Amino acid sequence: MPRMNTSIKTVDAYIQMQPDTLQPVLENIRKTILEHAPEAIESISYGMPVYKLNKKPLVYFGAFKKHIGFFATPKTHEAFQSRLSSYKQGKGSVQFPINKPIPYALITDMVKFRLNSVK
């Protein structure tokens, strides 16, 4: 799966280019984000879906070979450190393994946290 495919222009196109088994997961992540941030603007940046509010990035997500990357901010990840502790992390990113249930409630809480940061 390409990490930074600059030919992708929409989230629909991004999701459709992923393996069939991942498409429902990505759609659910998308739905979760938009359900809690309906005013967020959806686009592609760095070759993956991004959601912006007031022209500031809210969250990104991306499909990788063995995980779904979810990118908020280092401050968000610090706030959720205990709930993220079982996942591989980077500065402002977390990897949700595709062979385990995706923590949609955690994604919801992180999106809500970010909403308070960008308003």
Side-chain angles (χ1 to χ4, degrees):
M1 281 174 255
R3 285 194 176 174
M4 199 152 158
N5 186 336
T6 55
S7 67
I8 301 166
K9 303 295 182 206
T10 68
V11 175
D12 285 327
Y14 180 88
I15 291 172
Q16 289 169 4
M17 69 167 281
Q18 304 304 326
D20 291 345
T21 56
L22 279 186
Q23 289 178 22
V25 172
L26 298 173
E27 282 291 355
N28 283 335
I29 292 171
R30 177 191 207 181
K31 179 182 169 202
T32 300
I33 294 166
L34 290 173
E35 186 175 301
H36 299 285
E39 65 281 1
I41 304 299
E42 180 179 77
S43 62
I44 297 291
S45 183
Y46 299 106
M48 66 181 121
V50 61
Y51 296 81
K52 293 182 180 181
L53 193 61
N54 300 325
K55 299 183 181 179
K56 297 176 189 171
L58 187 64
V59 293
Y60 295 76
F61 69 85
F64 296 86
K65 188 173 182 177
K66 295 183 179 183
H67 70 274
I68 302 293
F70 190 77
F71 308 85
T73 62
K75 191 180 215 179
T76 304
H77 288 265
E78 287 172 24
F80 290 90
Q81 185 176 12
S82 63
R83 291 175 65 191
L84 292 169
S85 64
S86 63
Y87 301 104
K88 186 174 180 182
Q89 297 177 63
K91 189 176 181 180
S93 68
V94 61
Q95 296 179 8
F96 299 128
I98 59 173
N99 63 348
K100 295 187 176 174
I102 300 297
Y104 295 106
L106 176 56
I107 291 171
T108 294
D109 292 344
M110 292 174 78
V111 168
K112 288 178 178 179
F113 181 88
R114 287 291 299 135
L115 282 171
N116 291 326
S117 302
V118 298
K119 286 189 175 180

